[in-house]
Amino acid sequence: MEPQEEKLNLLREMIAFALVDGELHDREYDFIEMVATELEIDKPTLHKLFENKDSVQIMKDEFSRICQFYRLALLMHCDDVLHEREQIKINEIGINMGLNPFAMKRILNMMQKSPNGLIDGQTLLALFSEQYN
């Protein structure tokens, strides 16, 4: 997959996840827009992604999948409302990515307990690395 297509794929997945509860909250849009800016995707291209419902392709390397799972978890928490559909969907996405369900559950629990909903990168990677020990 081309680097530009990978970036668009990440955003497609985030958009689909943000809409799982049937509503796109302003804070969710702002978060997606911020990620798009970091990925150097312009606003017209981002807006086209909201219109097109192309299928999402799973990333090959595990580090990218872990990062995307964390982005989705941040997106889930950014509107301060945890919908049951979001919790079900993020687990489904993580399983489809081939991520360890126990590590995903621990990360989501840690984020929920964290005052700002964040986890540092080392902890995030350590939780997924535990499955290899």
Side-chain angles (χ1 to χ4, degrees):
M1 197 181 315
E2 295 289 319
Q4 180 72 4
E5 188 57 36
E6 285 180 16
K7 293 175 184 179
L8 296 175
N9 190 54
L10 292 173
L11 292 170
R12 274 188 210 102
E13 188 168 38
M14 291 180 76
I15 291 166
F17 185 69
L19 296 171
V20 79
D21 64 357
E23 185 178 348
L24 180 67
H25 300 276
D26 290 341
R27 291 175 75 182
E28 290 173 326
Y29 175 80
D30 292 343
F31 184 77
I32 292 170
E33 185 178 46
M34 181 180 68
V35 172
T37 300
E38 287 295 317
L39 295 174
E40 299 177 347
I41 303 296
D42 59 31
K43 278 190 181 184
T45 303
L46 177 63
H47 291 166
K48 285 180 187 172
L49 294 177
F50 278 96
E51 296 167 13
N52 298 340
K53 305 291 187 222
D54 296 335
S55 63
V56 176
Q57 297 174 353
I58 296 174
M59 295 156 272
K60 293 192 192 286
D61 71 284
E62 185 176 33
F63 180 75
S64 296
R65 290 180 282 148
I66 291 169
C67 290
Q68 181 64 355
F69 176 81
Y70 186 58
R71 281 187 207 102
L72 293 173
L74 289 171
L75 180 61
M76 181 171 80
H77 288 280
C78 78
D79 63 357
D80 294 326
V81 179
L82 290 177
H83 294 276
E84 184 180 351
R85 281 194 245 163
E86 288 175 328
Q87 292 175 330
I88 292 168
K89 187 66 175 178
I90 198 165
N91 284 310
E92 185 180 299
I93 290 169
I95 299 273
N96 288 338
M97 286 181 180
L99 298 176
N100 181 297
F102 299 110
M104 292 185 314
K105 184 176 182 176
R106 288 181 65 196
I107 286 166
L108 294 174
N109 286 336
M110 286 178 78
M111 288 179 76
Q112 218 168 4
K113 292 175 184 173
S114 170
N116 59 6
L118 300 175
I119 299 175
D120 69 89
Q122 288 181 325
T123 302
L124 180 70
L125 293 176
L127 288 171
F128 279 104
S129 297
E130 284 178 359
Q131 68 183 336
Y132 300 121
N133 293 333

